[in-house]
Amino acid sequence: MMMNKKFFFFDIDRTLGLNISERVPSDTSYCLRQLQRQNHLVAIATGRLQCDARRFAEQHHIDDIVADGGNSLTVQGQLLEMNGLPLDSCKALLHDLDKRCIPWAVVTDNTLRRYSPYENFPRADPHNYMETVIQPVPINALTVIYKITYVRQDSGQPRQEQYGLPHLPYLDNTWLIEPVDKGDGILRMLDRIGGNPDEVVVFGDGLNDISMFRKPFFSVAMGNAQPELKQLADYITDDNDKGGILHACIKFGWI
């Protein structure tokens, strides 16, 4: 007898993919195919911008995506919704950063480009996959902001007001501001496709996965996951480069 259909949601970086890359271990690719053959739904749940998540998903024959940290939904390859960060809070932050001469960049469209008015905005880290375009950015004219990055200050500097926006440490000694409610995005997707939250399985490794490590979802933390995430997990598997996803799926009889 076939088991109940499950709805699997996988983070990308350091869960499916190796580090921040497109590379997926061969045993993980095999596992994804087997889950699909068992008629389970295989979906992405990522903080990446929708266009970037879609590119990754297409390489691995995945049609359903919760991207932008829960703020965009793609079902059967079709983008159904894509929402930005709270605009007033973002503008207040950017004006404050300008006053303090702290370099910043914003993502304002569904492309792998971020825009900065600062020639000295840091962009040397080879893991950075976004193009930085230096040009004037009139803050008050912005109509949508998907992500913000700005330079982290030295410990001796006054603490920057965060305006209620989620901050994550990022490359080049910057802060990354992006939506962090993948769990809500999963629930909205289930509403659209008629899925049961009790049948959801989530895999993750980072702090931006915390929102989807919630009941009634069954949560699996990678062996390389952050300690805070492991404390919330229903099960901790092996590292993502040591067969962790395949081992968990075999252990629980999902394939």
Side-chain angles (χ1 to χ4, degrees), residues 49 82-85 107-110 144-147 177-179:
L49 201 66
M82 186 169 181
N83 304 301
L85 291 159
V107 177
T108 58
D109 49 36
N110 192 21
V144 65
I145 298 174
Y146 295 118
K147 297 180 189 290
I177 299 173
E178 65 179 10

Side-chain angles (χ1 to χ4, degrees), residues 162-237:
Q162 297 188 344
Y163 293 91
L165 296 167
H167 282 59
L168 299 168
Y170 196 53
L171 306 174
D172 289 308
N173 193 39
T174 61
W175 288 112
L176 170 64
I177 299 173
E178 65 179 10
V180 289
D181 201 345
K182 296 182 185 181
D184 181 67
I186 291 172
L187 290 173
R188 298 199 320 278
M189 178 174 282
L190 294 177
D191 285 341
R192 287 181 175 271
I193 65 178
N196 183 353
D198 291 324
E199 300 298 339
V200 168
V201 180
V202 298
F203 283 76
D205 72 283
L207 299 181
N208 68 341
D209 297 318
I210 286 176
S211 70
M212 65 179 185
F213 273 48
R214 61 197 281 182
K215 296 302 180 184
F217 304 163
F218 186 86
S219 55
V220 181
M222 307 307 296
N224 52 280
Q226 294 290 327
E228 297 94 325
L229 195 70
K230 289 181 177 180
Q231 292 176 2
L232 301 173
D234 293 303
Y235 179 70
I236 301 172
T237 189

Side-chain angles (χ1 to χ4, degrees), residues 140-156:
N140 290 336
L142 295 174
T143 58
V144 65
I145 298 174
Y146 295 118
K147 297 180 189 290
I148 299 173
T149 48
Y150 70 89
V151 173
R152 279 187 275 172
Q153 296 297 283
D154 296 334
S155 57

